[in-house]
Amino acid sequence: MEKYLKKQFAIFALPTLIAFSVAFGIPFIMGLYLSFCEFTTVSNATFVGLENYMKVFSEANFIQAFWFTVKVVIVSVITVNIFAFLLALLLTQKLKGTNLFRTVFFMPNLIGGIILGYIWQSIINGILVNFEVTMLMDSSYGFWGLIMVVNWQYIGYIMIIYIAGLQNVSSSVLEAADIDGATGAQKVFLIKVPLIMTSITIALFLTIANSFKMFDQNLALTNGGPGNSTSMLALDIYNTFYGTIGFEGVGQAKATIFFIVVAAIAVFQVFLTRRKEVEN
């Protein structure tokens, strides 16, 4: 049976491999090549070597967007995972209505980013106007506005991942800890956290990747204002590619750098956290 499955594997995997190649593989390779070209359409690309990359690293807006993105990612990854884990701990206790609360906390993740951004823009500006300011008057307002939106949207989603991990912790291990006189904090940090490292690996990967790739919320909430001070990398790439004539190659070079940075950070994070995983 195993030999038969191995023979049939290629047949069943072929449609998916073709779809992946057409939708991702070929466009990615073309995009990588175009990052070394000057072009307005794919058909008129002219190879210019590293010129686009030199323009990227000499551009102040890209450097500003990069560091702003890093700050948003660091704060959002920490806050989302802490709050999601605390909610997961609470909702895995023997409380009434836990299924309802799980559903309610998860629902924000179902709302599209662009709609979510405009809703929160109205809410935050509606509060700030009482103090005669708006998010576009200072970059710090836009920064914390983005953090609020990310937390509100992703906490429930990451919470579900932590709940799945906590429910998989063996009750016999916790009972043994109770017999040994372990406190609640000791059971959380010395038993539960090590045993759910697989969930932590997944949660960190998703929050890092999603925070780096944030575009819709950034566009709707601040559109990079004031003066591109709250523009994240994805929005900066979009503005370069579609907003500046003749800079399509520079925008593609930014996208390539963006991919390499996010992929490297995500792989490094997975490598570090997987080393901490233990058998449950």
Side-chain angles (χ1 to χ4, degrees):
M1 185 64 182
E2 187 177 346
K3 292 181 179 179
Y4 175 78
L5 290 175
K6 288 181 178 180
K7 290 180 180 179
Q8 301 302 318
F9 174 79
I11 297 175
F12 288 102
L14 188 60
T16 302
L17 291 174
I18 293 173
F20 178 82
S21 299
V22 172
F24 178 81
I26 295 174
F28 177 79
I29 294 171
M30 291 179 64
L32 186 62
Y33 169 72
L34 290 172
S35 68
F36 296 97
C37 298
E38 183 178 337
F39 67 96
T40 53
T41 64
V42 177
S43 60
N44 67 355
T46 303
F47 188 81
V48 294
L50 296 175
E51 184 178 328
N52 290 331
Y53 289 91
M54 294 173 65
K55 289 180 180 178
V56 169
F57 289 109
S58 63
E59 188 179 297
N61 285 342
F62 179 76
I63 305 299
Q64 162 70 27
F66 177 81
W67 288 116
F68 182 77
T69 302
V70 169
K71 288 192 295 183
V72 170
V73 169
I74 291 173
V75 176
S76 60
V77 167
I78 293 172
T79 54
V80 167
N81 281 279
I82 289 176
F83 288 126
F85 181 71
L86 292 175
L87 280 175
L89 280 177
L90 180 63
L91 296 179
T92 49
Q93 305 300 315
K94 295 179 180 179
L95 301 175
K96 291 183 178 180
T98 54
N99 289 334
L100 174 62
F101 286 118
R102 292 176 190 179
T103 303
V104 171
F105 287 129
F106 180 78
M107 285 180 66
N109 188 254
L110 303 177
I111 304 175
I114 195 77
I115 298 173
L116 196 64
Y118 282 122
I119 291 172
W120 275 96
Q121 181 197 64
S122 300
I123 294 172
I124 296 172
N125 280 335
I127 296 172
L128 291 177
V129 75
N130 295 317
F131 303 94
E132 299 182 351
V133 295
T134 66
M135 279 192 297
L136 296 181
M137 292 187 66
D138 192 295
S139 61
S140 61
Y141 297 133
F143 173 80
W144 289 110
L146 285 167
I147 297 300
M148 288 174 61
V149 171
V150 172
N151 275 264
W152 194 79
Q153 185 174 21
Y154 289 122
I155 282 175
Y157 178 59
I158 302 302
M159 174 198 71
I160 297 297
I161 297 172
Y162 284 131
I163 286 175
L166 289 169
Q167 288 179 332
N168 197 41
V169 175
S170 175
S171 59
S172 61
V173 176
L174 298 176
E175 289 172 2
D178 288 330
I179 294 171
D180 290 339
T183 64
Q186 287 174 329
K187 286 193 290 184
V188 169
F189 293 107
L190 299 180
I191 298 175
K192 291 184 178 180
V193 170
L195 290 178
I196 65 165
M197 279 306 299
T198 301
S199 296
I200 292 174
T201 298
I202 297 170
L204 286 176
F205 176 82
L206 290 174
T207 48
I208 289 172
N210 289 333
S211 297
F212 264 111
K213 296 186 297 180
M214 195 190 311
F215 171 77
D216 295 355
Q217 301 91 326
N218 190 199
L219 176 66
L221 202 65
T222 66
N223 197 21
N228 290 324
S229 60
T230 61
S231 179
M232 297 183 69
L233 281 173
L235 182 60
D236 180 68
I237 292 168
Y238 172 83
N239 288 332
T240 302
F241 197 96
Y242 294 103
T244 309
I245 298 175
F247 271 64
E248 290 84 359
V250 177
Q252 189 62 49
K254 287 183 178 182
T256 302
I257 295 170
F258 181 48
F259 169 80
I260 293 171
V261 169
V262 176
I265 292 173
V267 169
F268 183 65
Q269 170 263 308
V270 171
F271 171 75
L272 286 181
T273 51
R274 288 201 66 180
R275 294 175 63 187
K276 301 292 184 180
E277 293 179 8
V278 297
E279 291 292 334
N280 188 352

